[in-house]
Amino acid sequence: NPNPIAHDFVVPLANLSFPTSSDTNGFGTRGSATLVRDIWARRDLSKLQAGERTLTISVGSLDSAFLRLTSVP
């Protein structure tokens, strides 16, 4: 976030390239929840339920985010 104030960013999961399997279309789609972990803070942020299409993250002023998304069967 290059701005001097914090912003919420909405990431459409369909725009990200995720591995798929025969029973799902990647993270956040049919039958699979998605765990979200903040790498720099070393903590889990949330669990996106199956079918959720977006991830919203707040990023502080002049800051960035480093997240890991993990599919949960």
Side-chain angles (χ1 to χ4, degrees), residues 20-34 49-53 71-73:
T20 61
S21 68
S22 60
D23 61 339
T24 66
N25 290 327
F27 294 132
T29 59
R30 295 178 304 183
S32 67
T34 303
Q49 298 304 313
E52 287 193 57
R53 303 283 185 217
S71 182
V72 178

Side-chain angles (χ1 to χ4, degrees), residues 8-70:
D8 286 340
F9 290 89
V10 178
V11 180
L13 297 177
N15 290 352
L16 303 178
S17 176
F18 291 119
T20 61
S21 68
S22 60
D23 61 339
T24 66
N25 290 327
F27 294 132
T29 59
R30 295 178 304 183
S32 67
T34 303
L35 296 177
V36 181
R37 181 163 180 86
D38 185 326
I39 299 296
W40 290 329
R42 298 181 181 147
R43 66 182 175 97
D44 294 331
L45 295 181
S46 62
K47 182 176 181 180
L48 300 175
Q49 298 304 313
E52 287 193 57
R53 303 283 185 217
T54 60
L55 167 66
T56 302
I57 183 82
S58 235
V59 179
S61 68
L62 305 174
D63 203 356
S64 60
F66 183 20
L67 306 175
R68 179 179 183 186
L69 306 180
T70 306

